[in-house]
Amino acid sequence: MNDMKLISNLLAAFILAIATPLFSQQKLATTTNGNIVTIQNKGGQTIAYSTDSGVNILTVDGLAFKDLNKNGKLDKYEDWRLPFDERAKNLASQMSVEQIAGLMLYSRHQSIPARSGGYFAGTYKGKPFTQGETNPADMTDQQVEFLTKDNLRHVLITTVVSPEVAAQWNNNVQALCEGTGLGIPANNSSDPRHGTVSSAEYNAGSGGNISMWPASLGLAATFDPALVERFGQVAATEYRALGIATALSPQVDIATEPRWMRFSGTFGENPWLSAAMAEAYCNGFQTSTGSKEIADGWGYGSVNAMVKHWPGGGSGEAGRDAHYAIGKFAVYPGGQFDQHLIPFTEGAFKLSGKTKMASAIMPYYTISWNQDVKNGENVGNAYNSYIINDLLRKKYGYDGVACTDWGITGDHRVMDSFVDGKPWGLEHLSIAERHYKVLMAGVDQFGGNNEAQPILDAYQMGVKEHGEKWMRQRMEQSALRLLRNIFRTGLFENPYLDPAATKAIVGKPEFMKEGYEAQLKSQVLLKNKGNVLPVKERKVAYVPKKFTPASTNFLGMRTPESLDYPVSIEVVKKYFDVTDDPEKADLALVFIESPKSGIGYDSTDIRAGGNGYLPISLQYSDYTATEARAVSIAGGDPKENSANRSYKDKTVKTTNVTDLGMVTETAAKMKGKPVIVSVAVDNPMVFSEFESQSSAILVNFRVQDQAILDLITGKTEPSGLLPMQMPDSMSEVERQAEDAPHDMKCHTDSEGHSYDFGFGMNWKGVIKDERVSRYKK
């Protein structure tokens, strides 16, 4: 009898499990696309699930909900009618410590498909990706492992072979996550991915793989926050179509140190312009409207903005960058630490939009030298309790996610490797101890870490010091913040994509057009002697070729030397008749880049008896640092014998010195005929080396060649303004304070114009509109 009753109960349960989704579908609008089932709740949220995940649908009050933890009842976190925080708190309370530890992980860079070797390598069932054999939308073995074994739910995506493949890969990942544990979806993310391909041609009505916009410095050069907000809206639409719900941007550090290699990723050196752009950027990315809004501006069109880098990383001593041990120190000789907070406190933390505040923040690698006024610690910002707990959390009331920059808990082995561990100031601690230090400082998440074990080890350290109840609460505090951002973006209800829709949205013609128009607006005309521009009639142009020496990038990838046009000559020919003989030319078009001299360090200098440190130069010619500090402000590393990082009296060469010759030699060959120079600028630069030999100078911040030529030929009028100063000399660069904006004497050209912040020209002359006065120096 009991056996019959047991069988009856099991049969009833089985029928209920089968019938529940069918019952829901009879009452609610349901569509199926492959293995993805979508249910439209009348007057409520649309939910979607994968038939591969094993998740059932619950029907409550005539509405459909996903039973993510498979317990047969509607938990608060599964109830899309409840507020985000109530759902997040309920889910955090159900999570094991192991699951919370996984939520705190942020993956290393993931390429789709994975490369067969190198930094982005991965395998598929033990084998490398093979074109024609491996499905590029499949998950790698490593991805399956960190999603299931380590409970990781935040994935950083780099290159994708196509938008459709990205969508298919997203669906595979989300189905796996939906059917694992408590059904927490993946929150996929990206670094900025809307840069240009210079040689690409823009054709009205044509699309691309993704819309192309100028670099952040170019967006800043428009001095137009409304344009930046629109960029955020477009980029967010494309991100969500790719399955990306978090942007590891904007980078709002004020770039007060002109030699910093990350200058081009910022909005320039002015704190108030950076604040305005930060606010606009976050509003654009985070705000959902209309049917996509769930609540408070958040919804299916929202992308979390992870603003970086708190409390500002733009004052590295002598311009060196903290990806390297040689650049770990941010210094403040001008006493301007508070200026670096303005883009955060007056921009990203004070949004005019409904989401009100950037949802995540990333501290920089740097040690903010002698800025910890409470504990006196000189450690990396993510390790510093004063910088995070006291300043960020308490003083400025920030309760969003704080995520470390990538790889800060790894071991430090060499001074000059981009992919070295970055535990600045805490090199002596174990990996687990570094994780614990980060948690105690008030940070929630570990960038570039795929393994949960160090967090679990840190948890046990906390239990030993504070007790299990206290440490459990600390873990749930971070879980709440992290889950909030996943709930806000609607991923629990529908993380799935239609690849066909993705293909139609990403890089669609309307978005390509808007990006191209922004490129036009971002260019800055610095010089126009004798109104040589615009060139409205078709003329004969001489375009010198560029020699590029062999080089190796930060990932060890080699580029051979070359001698070729630095511009798409086919694009140039659409505007000009091109000749290789300057004698036959009406004018010359010279395309160059700002000077590049390396990272400020060379180990061969150590073998020669030095300390390894070299100047970073902003001029093309060889530079000897006779006016550099004799003793560095900061220093010290376990791998160094001296704390003095001075490079005084040392000489450095630029790798693109031939760019200077392209201008000077061309000017000589042209014998007084117009020489028009286009400069792709990544950093401020010394213009005095070639400005007098140039008839016109047009600056761009990484745009398509076609956009440059449209300006030169007058198809549009320049309107951009400099978002930074252009120094008079390298002596001026050495004298300026790394932390102080607008403290350099600027270059004055042959026409009497100073290349200062806010300077720019149009066809009528110097621009003097309201933008120039809005952001005071």
Side-chain angles (χ1 to χ4, degrees), residues 36-331:
I36 308 300
V37 179
T38 303
I39 304 172
Q40 174 63 60
N41 283 295
K42 187 175 181 180
Q45 300 302 319
T46 297
I47 66 171
Y49 66 97
S50 169
T51 55
D52 296 334
S53 71
V55 164
N56 292 318
I57 300 301
L58 300 171
T59 302
V60 178
D61 300 330
L63 300 171
F65 303 86
K66 291 196 279 188
D67 184 14
L68 293 168
N69 62 5
K70 305 181 184 71
N71 66 354
K73 66 177 184 178
L74 182 64
D75 292 84
K76 286 185 177 181
Y77 85 90
E78 298 165 336
D79 190 344
W80 45 257
R81 298 170 298 184
L82 298 178
F84 302 130
D85 275 19
E86 186 174 349
R87 298 179 70 188
K89 186 175 181 180
N90 174 256
L91 178 51
S93 70
Q94 293 191 36
M95 295 175 72
S96 67
V97 171
E98 289 76 13
Q99 289 169 326
I100 295 176
L103 194 65
M104 289 177 161
L105 298 173
Y106 222 126
S107 83
R108 301 184 189 106
H109 300 71
Q110 304 296 308
S111 176
I112 304 171
R115 296 178 185 174
S116 57
Y119 191 63
F120 302 115
T123 57
Y124 299 82
K125 296 181 179 178
K127 298 179 181 180
F129 177 81
T130 303
Q131 189 71 39
E133 294 182 14
T134 313
N135 183 346
D138 283 350
M139 290 174 284
T140 65
D141 302 330
Q142 293 76 22
Q143 290 162 359
V144 172
E145 181 176 5
F146 65 56
L147 290 170
T148 55
K149 175 178 174 288
D150 292 284
N151 299 297
L152 184 150
R153 287 297 179 271
H154 293 80
V155 183
L156 174 57
I157 298 170
T158 56
T159 58
V160 297
V161 68
S162 72
E164 304 98 293
V165 168
Q168 293 161 1
W169 177 88
N170 169 82
N171 290 352
N172 290 336
V173 168
Q174 298 295 4
L176 177 63
C177 292
E178 187 173 73
T180 302
L182 296 168
I184 300 171
N187 182 355
N188 300 324
S189 70
S190 174
D191 281 309
R193 60 193 311 118
H194 282 83
T196 62
V197 177
S198 61
S199 60
E201 290 188 52
Y202 167 72
N203 296 300
S206 68
N209 281 334
I210 199 164
S211 62
M212 294 189 286
W213 298 69
S216 293
L217 202 54
L219 293 174
T222 68
F223 277 57
D224 185 357
L227 183 150
V228 174
E229 183 167 350
R230 179 56 188 159
F231 162 69
Q233 293 166 349
V234 169
T237 301
E238 293 182 309
Y239 273 27
R240 290 307 300 262
L242 291 168
I244 296 167
T246 294
L248 303 188
S249 57
Q251 184 186 338
V252 305
D253 318 73
I254 56 170
T256 50
E257 170 43 61
R259 295 164 287 190
W260 189 31
M261 75 177 196
R262 301 195 68 178
F263 198 108
S264 65
T266 74
F267 293 123
E269 66 179 294
N270 183 283
W272 295 104
L273 176 61
S274 296
M277 295 304 188
E279 180 189 4
Y281 192 107
C282 294
N283 277 334
F285 266 90
Q286 292 191 165
T287 306
S288 290
T289 58
S291 61
K292 290 188 175 182
E293 182 180 3
I294 298 173
D296 303 322
W298 291 101
Y300 300 103
S302 299
V303 172
N304 293 292
M306 184 179 289
V307 62
K308 55 190 187 184
H309 304 88
W310 178 263
S315 64
E317 184 164 14
R320 296 184 295 269
D321 181 65
H323 277 87
Y324 307 91
I326 62 166
K328 66 170 74 171
F329 300 108
V331 295

Side-chain angles (χ1 to χ4, degrees), residues 539-614:
K539 294 190 175 183
V540 179
Y542 168 66
V543 182
K545 291 183 178 180
K546 175 177 179 172
F547 172 74
T548 303
S551 63
T552 303
N553 71 9
F554 65 89
L555 294 177
M557 301 169 70
R558 294 279 299 170
T559 300
E561 70 174 46
S562 64
L563 178 64
D564 203 353
Y565 289 111
V567 62
S568 170
I569 203 66
E570 296 306 314
V571 173
V572 176
K573 287 178 179 178
K574 293 180 182 294
Y575 298 81
F576 296 93
D577 296 322
V578 176
T579 180
D580 289 331
D581 185 355
E583 294 283 348
K584 297 178 180 178
D586 299 312
L587 53 85
L589 301 174
V590 186
F591 297 86
I592 62 175
E593 296 179 299
S594 51
K596 303 180 189 313
S597 67
I599 62 173
Y601 188 87
D602 189 342
S603 58
T604 60
D605 180 66
I606 297 176
R607 293 194 288 273
N611 63 359
Y613 291 88
L614 297 176

